[in-house]
Amino acid sequence: MLNKRWYSFLWKSKIDNSEADNKPNRRDKYYEEIRRKSLSTTAQSLNSRSISRSTSQPSLSQTQSTVKLRKITSGGRRVFINLPLPTYDLTKQGYAAHTYASNKIRTSKYTILSFVPKNLFEQFSRPANMYFLGMAIIQMLPQFGVKSPALTLLPICFVVFVTAVKDAFEDFQRHKVDRQYNQNMTHTLKGYENTNYPKGFSRPFFSSWFPFTGHRPKKEINSGANIYNDKQTNISVDNYSQSSSSADVFQKSLSKDVHVGDFILLRNGDSLPADAVLLSSSDKEGICYVETKDLDGETNLKPRNSVQELKHIQSGADCLNDCHFYVEAGAPSPDLYNFEGTLVALEKDEASDKWLEKSKTPIEIENMLLRGHVVRNTKWAIAVVLFTGTDTKIMLNSGETPSKRSRVDKQMNKEIFIAFLVLFILCLICAIMAGVMRHRFMSTAASSLFAVQSGSPAYVGFMNFWSSLIIFQNIIPISLYVSIEFVKTFQAFFIWNDLDMWDEMTKKPCVPKTWILSDDLGQVEYVFSDKTGTLTRNIMEFRECTIGGVRYGNNGFSPESEGARGARIRKEKEYKNGQGQGSDHVNESDEEEQRESVIPSSSDRRQDSLSPPLIDTNEDPLKDNDEKKASEENKEKRLEIIKEYETAIKNVFEPTYSSLDPNRLSFADPQLFKDIESADIDETKGMNHQSIRTKEFFMLLALCHTVMVEKIGKDGKSVEEDDEDEDTKQEPKVSENMASGSKLKNAVVNQVEDANNMGSKHSLSDEKSKSPGIKGLPQKIYSGSAKFLQVPRLHHFKNTGNENDDNRKSLKRKKSRGEEFDSITEDKQDPNKVDNTVKIQLNYKAESPDEAALVNAAKNAGFAFVKRKGKTLTADILGKEYEFELLDVLEFNSDRKRMSVILRRPDPWNDIILYCKGADNVISERLDNSEQNSDIVNQTFSDVNEFSECGLRTLLAAYLVLEEEEYNQWKREYDEASTSYENRANKIAEVQEKIEVNLKLLGATGIEDKLQEGVPQCIEDLRNAGIKIWVLTGDKLETAINIGYASNLLDADMKLWIVRGDDDSEKVSRNLSDTSQKLDDIEARHEQDDNGNASSVQENALIIEGSALVHILKSADSKTKLLEITARCKSVVCCRVSPLQKALVVQLVRKYHDVVTLAVGDGANDVSMIQVANVGVGIAGQEGVQASMAADYAISQFRFLHKLLLVQGHWSYARVSEMILTFFFKNVFWVFPSLWYQIYSAWSGNIFYDYSFLQLYNIIFTVAPVVILGATDQDVTSPYLKHLPSVYTIRGKLYTKFRFWLYFFDGVWQSVVVFFAFYLVYFKGNANSNGYPESMLQLSTSVAVTAIVLANIMPGFNTYYWTWWQFTFIGLELLITFLWVVVYGAFRSVTLYGMASMVFGQGTFWLTFLLAIVLAFLPRYTITFICQWWYPNVVAKGRHLELYEKRVKKEK
C-alpha cells in the first residue's frame, strides 16, 4: 500500500507538466489564464477561443471582465508592472506566492551554517582521517589498556582543525569579494510599489512563525462591468497610478537589493546588476550601446533597442504613470544570443475609466540588457528587471564553486588504500599467529605462568587483530595531511611573494586562492585560454596598407609586428635545428625524446667545440630584447620620419583632426601625402591615378562603418555640441540618498570615512560641499562601475558648478536628454587622453576595435569622420567638410564577411557610390576583372599575403559607382525583401548579392591586434614543455585565426581545418567526419612514403565554431570524433562559443583524456570553464574581477603562466611527490620492526617501541626535514627552468605506483637491516661490557634511535637544493632525538629510565649504528647514482647542464 502511494505521488509529479493544459483555467475578477499557441497570439484569436469554449467556460459576462493571460510554461514567469497580481498567485496572507532568486551573488563555497558539516564531510572523505578517527575510538576501549587514549585524538583533531582554519580563511576571502560585488551601486525608482516582490520575508513556512509588516499588492478594484470586444481586453483597476511629487526620483540602491520588476536607471559606464528589458534611453531612437565582453569576450559595442511603445519614458514620473504592462517570459536560459518574451501594455479608457489592452510587443535579445553588460556611449537608460541572481544568463553560464582536489591528492588516497591493505594483512598475520600460539600454549599446563592471554584461540586472535591495529597504526601517515597543508601553505606564500609575477602596472602579485592545487600546476597537459583580454590587450593598430599596388607603412616607422617577429624567430630555430641533421620521420612517440634532447649533457658540451653559448640566467626569456634593441635603434629614425611626415602633410593641407604625436601614431608614411599631391578632390583637374585611388581609399575607410563620434576637450573629458533643432527634453531626477532597504553597517561606514579622511586628495568637508546629498558613502559601495574593485572616493561624484567653463563657452550648449546625469556619468579627467598635437580631438566608439582603428587611421590621414546625424554623415576631407547622404547600410555578418554602405555624394562628385570592405576571399570573387589592372590586383594580393604572414588582420577595400536608375531599381527589390514574411533573411541576402558585384579594387589594410607582453614567447615555451594550448573565444572566426597567427598558436605552414556551424546537425557531423577522413588519408600516405621526413609532414590546426559544437556536444560519436581530430592537431581554436560551451569543452577533454587541465580567462564569460578545469587561473584585467574571484590563482598577465607553471608548478609537483613518498617510506620503515619483533615475542601483540617514541615519531622526531623538503627544495633552479621548458615534461613521472613500491620496499629493507643488526648484537652476543644483561627495551631504543636518524637523513639525501633550513632542522631533529633519550630517560617514573647510559655508553651500539646506516642506504645510493648519471631523465640533464655552466662561469 505504501509503495502504491509513493508510486502515485511520483507518477503524479511526472505528469503534472504534461497535463497542465488539461487543468481548468485559473481566474479571478481581473485575470483569466487561457491557452495560446504562442507569445504573439492576437486579441482576435483570444476572442475566438473564448467564444468556441463558451459551453465549458464561465458566462460571457464574466469572461468579458477579465484580462486573458497566456498559460506560461513550467519555470516561466509573468512580471507585472504597476498592476496587481492575480488573486490565485497570492498566499492566504496576501503576499506573492512565487518568489524569485535573490540578486545577491555568492561565489564562496561555504556559509556560516554549512561550513561545519560540509567541511567535516569533505575532510572525512579522506580515508586516512576516517581511519584515525576509528583508531581513536578503539583505543578508548578499556580492553586494549592504552594509558592515554585521549592523546590519540590529538593528531586527528589537530589535522581537522588546521585544515578547517585554512579552508575558512580561503572562503572568507571569497566572501569579502562577494560582499564588495554585491554592494555595487545602482539606481532604483523611489516610491514604486513592486507587486511581484514583497518587501518583507515571505516564505510561507516561516510566515506564520514570524509575521512581517511588508506591503501587500494593491487590490483596490472597481467592480463595475467591463466591455470586451475583438480589439480590446479590459482590466478594471481603479486609480492604479503611483504619481507622487516625492516618489518620482531614482535613488541609490545596492545591486543585491534589486528585485524582479524594479525600475532601474543606468548611466554611462554602469554595469548591469541583473537581466532587464530596456524601456528607454537618452537616445531619441531609444538605442542603448552596451559592452558585452564580460559575457562573450567581445570588446565591440552592441546596440540594444528600447521597446517602441515605451521609448518616450524619460523620468521616474513617467515610469509610475505611463508604464502599465506585464512581461511574459520563459524559464531562465543560459543562451546568450536568444530570448523570447512578450510585453503587453495597457492603457486607461477615460470614458469608462477602465484599463484596456493597448499593444503587444515581442521581446527579443536585442531588447534585453544582461547582467555583465556595461552601458557605453549612452547617457542614461531605464529598464525593468526581469531576471535576478542565479536566474541571470551570466550566472547560468557559471557553476557553483567546486571542491577541487589535486591529482596527487587523489592518487595518494589510492596509496592510502594500499597501506590499509598492508595494514590489514599485517594484522591478519599477527591474529592468525596469535591464535596458533594460543593453541600451542593451551596444550601446556605451565602456559598459565607466562601467558597473559586467556580464552579460546579464536578470541585471542580476534583481540590480537585489534591490538595489532594499534601497534601498526603509524603505517597510515596521519601527519602527512597536516604536513601537506603546511607545505602547500608555504608554496602559496612563495608564489604570492614571487617578484617575477608582480605586475608593476596594477601593483598586484600572483594570488593563490586555492592552496591545495599547487602540485597540479606541475602536471598541466592542456591549457584552455580565452582570447580577448587574456592573450590580447584589446588594442588595434593600423600598421600598413596597400593602395593601387603601392605599399605604405613599411618604412620602418613602426616596429616589427609581433606576428612577424614570432614567424621570424620560429624560422630561425627551424633552420638551426635542421642544419646537419637527418630527415627521418619523427613519430609522436618520439616527441618526448626530442624535448629531452634539447638539453645537452655536460659531456656532450665538452666534446662539442661548437656548443651553444651559455644560458644567460639574468635574462628573462619572455622579455623581447630584440624589440627593445630595435626600438632604441629606430628611435632616431622615427623622429626623422615624423618630421618628414609632418612636412608632407602640411604641404597638402592644414590638419585639424590629424594627430602628429609619434607615441600615438602606428602609421606614418610621408610617401602617402607625396602621392596625394594636393587637397583638391576634383578628378577633372588632372590628378594622377594614384592620387585618385588614395583619396578614394581613405574616403572609404572614413565613411564605410557604423561608429559613433565623441569630441574630447582639453581636460580629457567628452563634450557635446547640441543640435539647434533638438527639442528640450524632460530630465529624470536622481537622488543621492540611499534606498531605505539598502542598510549598511555603521562599522563599515565609519571605517571608510576614516580612510577617506586619511588618504583622500580632498577633505571630507570639501566633498560634502560638492555633493551635499552624499553622507558617509562607504568606499565599498561602488557607483555602478564595471571595474568595481577600483574603489572611488567621494570626489567620484564631481561638482557640476563651475568646472569646464572654458569648454562651455567655446561650445554652445543646451540641456539635452539626460543632462542631469552629467555629474555622475562623465568620465574623470584623464591627462593621457588628451592629444595636444590636434586642434579638435575626436574619439570613435565602434562595434569592433578594428573598425575604430580603420576610421582613426583615415582621420590621421586627413579624412576625418566628424559627425553622424540621422542619415547625414559629415566628413572632413583634407581640410574641407562634406556632407554625405547615407542611403543604405549592408551590415557585416559571419556569412557575408563584408560590409557595404551606399552613399549619395555631394559636389564635386554628385553621384551614388557603394563602398565595400571585407575578407580577401570574399571581395576577390566580386571584382570586375575586365576593367582591373591585373598587375595592380596581383600586387595587392601579394601584399595581403605578406600582411597575413606578419600576423596582421587584413581587409580588402573596393567601390562601385551606381547609376540613379540602377540604384532605384535595386532599392525597390531590397525594400520588398525587407518586408517579406517568408525567408526574409535569404531574400535580403540575395538582393545584397546583386548590388555587390563588379567592384573596383582600391587596396587593402593590415591591422595588428596588440598582444599582451610576452604572449608569443610564453605560448612557444609552454608548447616546448609538452602542453597543448586551446583558445576558446566568443570572437568571430577570422579574428580568432588572426590572433592565432600573432600569438604563435598558428603559423603559415599549418594546414587549417575548419568545422563550421549549421542548423542541420547531420551536415555538421558530415563535415567532422570528412575532416577526420582527410587526416587519416594524409597519415596513411605519409606512412607509405619510406622517404618521408619530418619536414615534409604538415602540421594541422583545427578551427571550430560554437554553432557546430552545439550539435557535436550532443552526440557521443561526434564527441569521440572531435577528440580524435584534436589529438592530431597541434593547435585548436574554438570561436563564437558561449561560456557554457567553454566549460563543456574543457570538461570533455578533461574526462576523456584523464589529464590535468588549466583554464585561464579574465571575464565573467570565463568563470564556468575556470571552475570546470582542474586549475582555474583568472586574469584581473579590464573585464572586471569575476574570473579572478572564481579562480584558484589570480594573475595580472598571461605571461605569468610561464613562471607559474614551468617553475613554481614544477617545483610544487616535485616537492610534494618527494615528500609524500618519503612519508610513506619513513612510516613503513618505522612499522615493520614491530612486525619483526612479534616473531620473537610469540605474537603477543605487545608494543615494541616505548610509547613516547610511538606517539612523537611523526609529530616531533621526523616531521621537520620532510616538511622543509616539500617546501623549499629545487631540483633545478629558477633561471634554468625558465630557459629549459622541456624539464616540465617530467610531469606525471615523479609520483607513480612504481616509485611508491620502490620506496615501500626500501623501507622494508632498511627495517630489516636495522632491526636484525641490533638483534644479532644484543641477543647473539654480550653487548653490555658493564655486565648488565640485554633487554627488549635496550633493543627497541637502539632500533628507534637508528630508525629516527635514518628517517631524518632520508629527506636530506633526497634534497637537491640544500638551504640553511634543511641543515638546521635535520641537525635539530637529530639533537632532539638523542637529548630525548638522555633527558626524558633521566626520570625514574618512565620506562626509558637509564637507557641513555646503557645504549649510548656502549661502543658496540655506535659501531652497529654506523654499519646499519651504511648498509641500509647502499641500495638507494647505488640506484640513485645509476639513474642520475648513466640513465639521466630530463631533470637530471638539466641539473648536469646547470652544474657544468656554473663551473665554466667560475673558471672564466
Side-chain angles (χ1 to χ4, degrees), residues 305-324:
N305 301 319
S306 302
V307 177
Q308 290 299 310
E309 295 291 334
L310 301 171
K311 69 178 183 179
H312 66 279
I313 293 171
Q314 51 189 321
S315 67
D318 290 342
C319 295
L320 295 175
N321 299 326
D322 298 346
C323 292
H324 301 280

Side-chain angles (χ1 to χ4, degrees), residues 177-194:
V177 178
D178 287 345
R179 184 165 60 251
Q180 292 173 343
Y181 189 79
N182 288 321
Q183 289 177 344
N184 196 11
M185 286 293 297
T186 188
H187 284 76
T188 56
L189 183 59
K190 181 180 179 181
Y192 166 65
E193 185 176 4
N194 190 346

